[in-house]
Amino acid sequence: MENLKNENQCINLVLSDTQENFSLWVENSIMQFKRHDDSKDLASDCPTLTVTKPLYLKMITGQIKGVKVLLSNESKVKGNPLEIGKFFAMFKRPDSTFPIVTRPND
């Protein structure tokens, strides 16, 4: 995300099976979120992706490509789907060998 220092982007995420609503945005290279009780409270100037929670989890864990999610019958997009793709493209897959906990050398 280092190349996005001055870029602010947002999407709304609706998890249709759990009735959860979120606004997600990147501001100064930091992802922020806000949970909403009602989908009417979502940011009106951001595109909205509606998916099931299992499909969303598959997408963010790399089990299914985002393009397939956007084109799936199980998803619904309100607004520009390219903006949703651009939002998720900002995030790189983490290095699975990165040591979360390190120990000092003896």
Side-chain angles (χ1 to χ4, degrees), residues 19-84:
Q19 302 302 308
E20 295 176 273
N21 304 288
F22 300 92
S23 292
L24 309 172
W25 69 96
V26 174
E27 186 175 352
N28 296 322
S29 298
I30 299 170
M31 185 172 148
Q32 311 277 334
F33 79 96
K34 182 175 183 180
R35 186 177 184 156
H36 302 282
D37 293 329
D38 194 322
S39 63
K40 295 175 191 169
D41 298 328
L42 294 169
S44 61
D45 57 338
C46 302
T48 300
L49 174 63
T50 302
V51 292
T52 61
K53 191 170 190 172
L55 185 59
Y56 175 70
L57 292 174
K58 285 181 182 178
M59 181 182 73
I60 63 168
T61 58
Q63 296 175 42
I64 186 172
K65 296 207 180 269
V67 173
K68 286 191 175 187
V69 172
L70 291 174
L71 298 175
S72 168
N73 290 338
E74 297 180 55
S75 69
K76 186 172 96 175
V77 175
K78 180 180 175 187
N80 187 345
L82 295 176
E83 291 298 316
I84 293 173

